[in-house]
Amino acid sequence: MNPMCENRAKLSRVQWAFAGLVFLWCLAGAALIRVEFCPDEWARRLLSDFMVKNGVLPVGEEAEIVMENYGFSYAIYPYLASMLNALCMRIAGIFTGSERVMLAASRMCSVISIGLCAVHLQKIGNLLLRRRAVAMLFAGLTCFLPQVMFLGMYQNNDALALCGIVAVIYSVLAGHRNSWRWVDCIRLGLWTAVTLLSYYNAYGWLLVCGVAAVASFLSGRKKERKEIFLKWAAILGIILAAAGWFFIRNAALHDGDFLGFRTEAADRQRLIEQGWQFKNYRRPSEIPGYTLIQMLTEERCQYLVACLKSFIGVFGNMDLFMDGWVYFFYYAVLLFAGFCFVWLIFRARKTAEEKWFLGGGAAAALITFGLTLYNSYFTDYQPQGRYLIATAVLMAFAIASFVNRLGRGALPEGGGTPADRAEAPAASGAAASGAVADSTGGTASGRITRISWIALLVWVGMFGFVFARTMSKMFG
């Protein structure tokens, strides 16, 4: 067991203030953005309003929650975010009946989710990157990406999914370092359950984290089989109790369809036969001779460009764009992130945890992208970057890890070869004392800290510009 893991992960006052800034910025957006600029929010709000009004969970076929243009309800898919928003609305309703307050309350799950992202990302950074300034850069690059901030300002499932992914990553990392204490097992089980009930596009990340957790348990730690069995039974039991109920209920309500896909098609068809008319899904696979490659490459790779732009930030109903030069700024950062990732993979010395983070993150991102392509080609053509938004974590980590190596003694505690650790005596001493190194005394360490702060200020400043110039058009 590493008794100092929790101390290293703890946030400093400045880091808590930074997480508070993220939360307050999302809260400001939640209080200001008009509903017509929030994609799908009206459909998610149907569920929250139903739960607040009736005090029960919806089945999925109630007339007041079926989307008129599509013929089904989001209640057939995981909707923990809507449940939490309904709770916030109930609490707000005790004090006021103001519609504006209730609208903001219906968005609080997203606001809190991105705020918690900032907390957990900095904890991960404190453990892996060791310097608080670099950890803040890691969190800032993720949370102040315009699309991430936008997701934190209105009711959706993507924000909770991103929060769950980050929290599960931290849970696996902390569990590995602590030789899987009971508190680590409980935390992993709870956050896995939250992520399972958030959005299906998070499941690729859960798969990778699950493999990493199993590998950690089996990686040479001397535990009795009984202890391993009991801890895994606890993890799986928590997941089943906290998330399994929804899928069991779904199966019971919808003839065994625990995921909801078959129910969506059946509900649409049933209503069509009753004379309802709905929007037709665009399914490229139904076009004779039209291939997946054509979908990706036609009209100058329009699908990929749309995904990339909306990953960075396209607001409203995918129709409110930032200035052209702003996109080029973010393109340059993403290109730099790609360079950092390749350099880290092939050239830099890495700890086992960094290898897992980079390799596992890449695998999870590819799985998610593959599922998104499959859905767009076979089910509903939607080139939206929000489905891939967790990749921002990998992008941010690559840049932050690169910055952390801009001087000698930059490897995380316990990392690299003995020669590597010999090059970092000051940093290793800080780690041994249970502290997160952030000294500006040494030339290299001071340079890394200054670069981190400058980069973070520029990044947050750019978002401030986007917030004032583009996102303010949605305020009312």
Side-chain angles (χ1 to χ4, degrees):
M1 177 184 294
N2 186 343
M4 295 181 294
C5 177
E6 293 297 329
N7 288 333
R8 292 194 185 106
K10 283 182 179 178
L11 304 192
S12 67
R13 292 180 181 178
V14 174
Q15 289 179 313
W16 277 114
F18 182 74
L21 175 65
V22 172
F23 174 83
L24 291 175
W25 219 319
C26 289
L27 182 62
L32 295 172
I33 293 180
R34 301 199 302 273
V35 174
E36 58 266 31
F37 288 102
C38 302
D40 277 354
E41 182 175 57
W42 62 274
R44 305 287 180 190
R45 180 75 187 269
L46 291 176
L47 305 187
S48 299
D49 287 344
F50 178 88
M51 287 181 277
V52 170
K53 177 182 177 182
N54 298 286
V56 297
L57 299 178
V59 171
E61 298 178 353
E62 295 87 348
E64 59 264 50
I65 63 173
V66 172
M67 294 178 283
E68 294 182 357
N69 292 333
Y70 297 95
F72 72 96
S73 167
Y74 277 137
I76 62 175
Y77 298 121
Y79 55 88
L80 177 61
S82 295
M83 294 168 60
L84 296 174
N85 285 321
L87 176 62
C88 292
M89 293 170 70
R90 273 290 184 93
I91 295 172
I94 296 175
F95 303 99
T96 179
S98 168
E99 178 56 34
R100 193 176 189 96
V101 173
M102 294 299 286
L103 176 61
S106 73
R107 296 166 170 173
M108 284 307 297
C109 179
S110 297
V111 175
I112 295 171
S113 292
I114 302 304
L116 285 176
C117 272
V119 172
H120 283 105
L121 287 167
Q122 289 181 99
K123 286 187 173 184
I124 294 171
N126 285 347
L127 290 177
L128 291 184
L129 302 170
R130 201 178 58 231
R131 292 178 174 84
R132 287 196 173 94
V134 183
M136 290 175 64
L137 176 62
F138 172 42
L141 288 170
T142 303
C143 294
F144 280 97
L145 186 70
Q147 189 66 37
V148 172
M149 270 292 182
F150 182 49
L151 291 174
M153 295 176 179
Y154 71 96
Q155 184 171 172
N156 59 81
N157 288 3
D158 302 89
L160 182 60
L162 178 59
C163 175
I165 289 168
V166 172
V168 168
I169 292 173
Y170 171 71
S171 299
V172 173
L173 178 61
H176 176 72
R177 291 206 172 189
N178 290 324
S179 297
W180 292 101
R181 302 168 303 171
W182 278 104
V183 66
D184 300 308
C185 297
I186 293 170
R187 178 166 50 202
L188 177 62
L190 288 174
W191 277 114
T192 299
V194 168
T195 311
L196 283 170
L197 294 178
S198 61
Y199 214 7
Y200 289 148
N201 61 5
Y203 285 17
W205 290 84
L206 283 182
L207 175 62
V208 170
C209 289
V211 171
V214 172
S216 174
F217 262 93
L218 301 177
S219 62
R221 285 169 167 73
K222 295 181 180 179
K223 291 190 183 74
E224 295 182 0
R225 291 184 178 180
K226 181 179 179 181
E227 180 185 359
I228 294 176
F229 174 80
L230 288 175
K231 288 185 174 180
W232 270 107
I235 292 171
L236 296 176
I238 291 170
I239 293 172
L240 182 62
W245 67 268
F246 175 84
F247 299 101
I248 294 171
R249 178 177 182 268
N250 234 25
L253 292 173
H254 304 300
D255 297 324
D257 182 26
F258 66 97
L259 292 177
F261 297 127
R262 181 161 43 86
T263 302
E264 176 186 339
D267 286 349
R268 280 173 60 89
Q269 185 59 36
R270 174 173 53 83
L271 293 176
I272 288 173
E273 291 173 356
Q274 294 177 10
W276 291 57
Q277 292 184 347
F278 305 118
K279 289 183 178 180
N280 291 322
Y281 291 142
R282 179 184 172 185
R283 295 188 175 97
S285 60
E286 296 179 349
I287 302 174
Y290 190 78
T291 66
L292 177 62
I293 299 300
Q294 285 178 288
M295 184 187 81
L296 294 175
T297 58
E298 69 175 357
E299 299 182 24
R300 298 182 178 180
C301 302
Q302 181 182 21
Y303 180 91
L304 295 175
V305 171
C307 282
L308 180 60
K309 275 194 169 182
S310 56
F311 174 83
I312 293 169
V314 177
F315 314 115
N317 295 290
M318 289 285 288
D319 55 5
L320 181 57
F321 296 85
M322 299 182 290
D323 296 334
W325 69 268
V326 175
Y327 282 106
F328 279 106
F329 168 82
Y330 287 108
Y331 290 157
V333 174
L334 291 178
L335 186 63
F336 178 64
F339 163 79
C340 293
F341 179 83
V342 172
W343 182 82
L344 289 166
I345 289 291
F346 294 104
R347 297 297 300 274
R349 292 185 293 268
K350 298 173 289 295
T351 66
E353 291 168 340
E354 283 185 311
K355 290 177 182 177
W356 168 74
F357 201 108
L358 294 167
L366 288 174
I367 292 171
T368 306
F369 183 60
L371 292 174
T372 301
L373 287 182
Y374 180 90
N375 184 70
S376 290
Y377 186 68
F378 288 102
T379 304
D380 187 16
Y381 180 85
Q382 290 194 52
Q384 295 196 41
R386 65 188 176 94
Y387 299 141
L388 310 169
I389 202 64
T391 310
V393 176
L394 184 62
M395 171 206 77
F397 183 79
I399 294 176
S401 189
F402 178 84
V403 170
N404 205 37
R405 286 170 162 80
L406 292 179
R408 300 175 70 186
L411 281 171
E413 179 266 330
T417 64
D420 299 331
R421 293 191 291 274
E423 291 180 349
S428 297
S433 68
V436 178
D438 200 21
S439 171
T440 58
T443 303
S445 182
R447 181 169 65 249
I448 293 170
T449 299
R450 287 192 295 272
I451 291 173
S452 298
W453 275 108
I454 292 171
L456 181 60
L457 290 173
V458 170
W459 187 256
V460 175
M462 177 57 76
F463 174 77
F465 174 84
V466 171
F467 186 81
R469 179 173 175 81
T470 305
M471 299 182 76
S472 61
K473 297 176 183 177
M474 301 184 289
F475 299 163

